[in-house]
Amino acid sequence: MKAVKTLGQFIIEKQADFPYAKGELSRLLRDIGIAAKIVNREVNKAGLADIIGDVGTVNVQGENQKKLDVYANEQFIAALQSGGECCTVVSEENDEYVYIDSEISKNAKYVVCIDPLDGSSNIDVNVGVGTIFSIFRRVSKDGKATMEDVLQKGTEQVAAGYVVYGSSTMLVYTTGKGVNGFTLDPSIGEFCLSHPDMQVPQDGNIYSINEGYYAHFPDGIKKYIKFCQVEDEKTRRPYTSRYTGSMVADIHRTLIKGGIFMYPITAQAPNGKLRLIYECNPIAFIVEQAGGRATNGYERILELEVKELHQRSAIIIGSTKMVEKAEEMLACFSPQITKTTFEGVVTIQ
Ligand code: AHM
Ligand code: MG
């Protein structure tokens, strides 16, 4: 019988890939894994205890904060604080970045950017949710971390990952040497290696987008959606459509089965909806490491300038061939958004 390999064992083994590493990144990943187990326990209980629903507060994005958003944020920050390897956290749930002010974090070298509970509007209805994290080495030498430390380009990430709390709970991460997935075995309380060296298929037949906003998409995206829907035996079209409203769940499926996930600019979200630092960049790093492609339709996500903490971006990501096709169609049209009505087409932006 094959012995199971836990996340902890795997991280220690892989430490040798970084000849000068002193184990800090490994400890940081371990701490994130521990917080993920605690959050998983609560997510699994949603519905039983008084943990579903809104807190009654609104975050910097203007979104209602769910009780579990707040709980997950506290758990991850507490784990990073007690671990001692992280100097600053950027979180979807905090307007400003959070200094980790403790004696053991004095010399901490890493910045962690996190969406503690992505897709949280799905909690109340038992659809999968996730956590997304991104790790950078700080640029400044000492003292409190600066804006320069937190506004680094995606290409500077040293690690990134997500946890998907779904029909089973999985942690998937990369340190820039491929992507590995671990499934939580509830009987032993450990993440165990279940998906070594994950590769996103180069082509696929699933497209994932909130088509409810169709009228508000740029013409290139409308054209690509139509391309997905027409019949063509050779290219296995029409494709299938899947969209959960939880990016982590949609990306996890895309990694395993292939496909394309799109959240383009829309008339309501002229810069896109998803946040660059703690949603698009980490997911782009993972998908590229698995052999896929990640762009905003025109430029590589990982090379986008980061100007502010909660900056948004469009994202088109997944199987390389599908993303390239969408880019090809975007290039044929103006990036302008035109509103489709029953009467015809009206330019609105
Ligand atoms: P959140 O971080 O506030 O949960 O928002 C991000 C989520 C993504 O997981 C998902 O893909 C998207 O928002 C869904 O948005 P929409 O309902 O506009 O399709
Ligand atoms: Mg999110």
Side-chain angles (χ1 to χ4, degrees):
M1 205 171 95
K2 221 170 130 210
V4 294
K5 185 167 288 174
T6 68
L7 176 65
Q9 289 168 332
F10 186 85
I11 288 172
I12 290 166
E13 265 176 33
K14 292 293 165 188
Q15 204 172 297
D17 286 351
F18 304 95
Y20 305 109
K22 298 197 193 83
E24 290 125 319
L25 181 60
S26 304
R27 286 196 288 276
L28 192 51
L29 288 165
R30 181 206 57 195
D31 295 340
I32 290 173
I34 293 168
K37 284 194 243 178
I38 297 171
V39 171
N40 176 65
R41 190 187 61 201
E42 293 307 302
V43 168
N44 275 197
K45 283 197 298 204
L48 275 180
D50 182 27
I51 46 172
I52 55 173
D54 295 344
V55 193
T57 49
V58 170
N59 69 11
V60 67
Q61 335 282 326
E63 300 153 347
N64 286 333
Q65 286 184 300
K66 300 271 173 193
K67 288 180 191 164
L68 276 171
D69 276 327
V70 173
Y71 179 84
N73 194 37
E74 286 169 0
Q75 285 305 326
F76 279 102
I77 293 180
L80 295 169
Q81 188 149 21
S82 60
E85 312 302 346
C86 169
C87 61
T88 301
V89 183
V90 179
S91 164
E92 177 174 328
E93 302 306 328
N94 296 98
D95 304 5
E96 307 293 340
Y97 53 87
V98 180
Y99 293 116
I100 302 290
D101 217 357
S102 68
E103 193 49 32
I104 54 166
S105 308
K106 251 190 356 235
N107 301 314
K109 291 197 189 76
Y110 291 98
V111 172
V112 175
C113 307
I114 191 157
D115 180 353
L117 209 60
D118 183 62
S120 53
S121 63
N122 271 328
I123 295 167
D124 301 358
V125 292
N126 253 343
V127 172
V129 290
T131 294
I132 311 173
F133 61 90
S134 163
I135 303 176
F136 293 92
R137 214 166 267 123
R138 66 180 291 177
V139 191
S140 59
K141 293 276 171 287
D142 44 33
K144 282 191 166 180
T146 63
M147 265 311 214
E148 199 196 351
D149 294 316
V150 295
L151 298 186
Q152 298 187 56
K153 273 190 187 176
T155 45
E156 303 309 305
Q157 292 172 100
V158 292
Y162 64 76
V163 184
V164 56
Y165 311 98
S167 45
S168 65
T169 293
M170 273 191 76
L171 187 149
V172 173
Y173 82 98
T174 182
T175 52
K177 292 183 187 298
V179 180
N180 291 285
F182 300 80
T183 302
L184 183 64
D185 180 341
S187 65
I188 56 169
E190 294 281 3
F191 282 107
C192 299
L193 182 63
S194 52
H195 295 63
D197 193 19
M198 294 173 82
Q199 296 286 329
V200 58
Q202 286 301 292
D203 206 355
N205 64 351
I206 304 174
Y207 73 101
S208 189
I209 188 167
N210 188 340
E211 264 178 277
Y213 306 142
Y214 184 87
H216 298 155
F217 288 147
D219 285 346
I221 294 291
K222 288 179 185 159
K223 187 81 185 163
Y224 181 69
I225 291 174
K226 285 295 155 216
F227 169 85
C228 294
Q229 294 172 341
V230 295
E231 222 154 29
D232 180 56
E233 229 175 90
K234 214 170 110 219
T235 51
R236 295 190 293 154
R237 284 179 289 147
Y239 295 153
T240 291
S241 165
R242 292 279 185 275
Y243 186 79
T244 65
S246 281
M247 185 202 203
V248 174
D250 285 319
I251 291 294
H252 188 61
R253 181 200 57 248
T254 304
L255 263 187
I256 291 176
K257 294 193 166 178
I260 186 168
F261 173 87
M262 295 172 280
Y263 206 116
I265 59 164
T266 67
Q268 284 90 348
N271 299 315
K273 176 190 178 188
L274 300 174
R275 276 55 52 115
L276 181 57
I277 295 192
Y278 42 80
E279 291 178 323
C280 300
N281 269 339
I283 294 295
F285 188 23
I286 295 165
V287 168
E288 281 198 6
Q289 280 295 314
R293 186 170 174 88
T295 77
N296 65 0
Y298 306 93
E299 297 155 282
R300 186 178 171 218
I301 292 285
L302 295 182
E303 286 174 20
L304 295 175
E305 270 328 310
V306 187
K307 300 196 183 93
E308 46 185 89
L309 287 187
H310 300 286
Q311 184 172 329
R312 295 176 191 264
S313 171
I315 188 163
I316 298 178
I317 187 166
S319 295
T320 299
K321 285 192 177 153
M322 294 180 87
V323 174
E324 282 173 349
K325 191 73 187 171
E327 288 173 298
E328 191 186 305
M329 296 201 167
L330 277 163
C332 295
F333 294 88
S334 127
Q336 236 180 9
I337 292 170
T338 54
K339 190 173 175 183
T340 312
T341 63
F342 278 126
E343 292 74 37
V345 171
V346 192
T347 301
I348 55 165
Q349 199 193 328

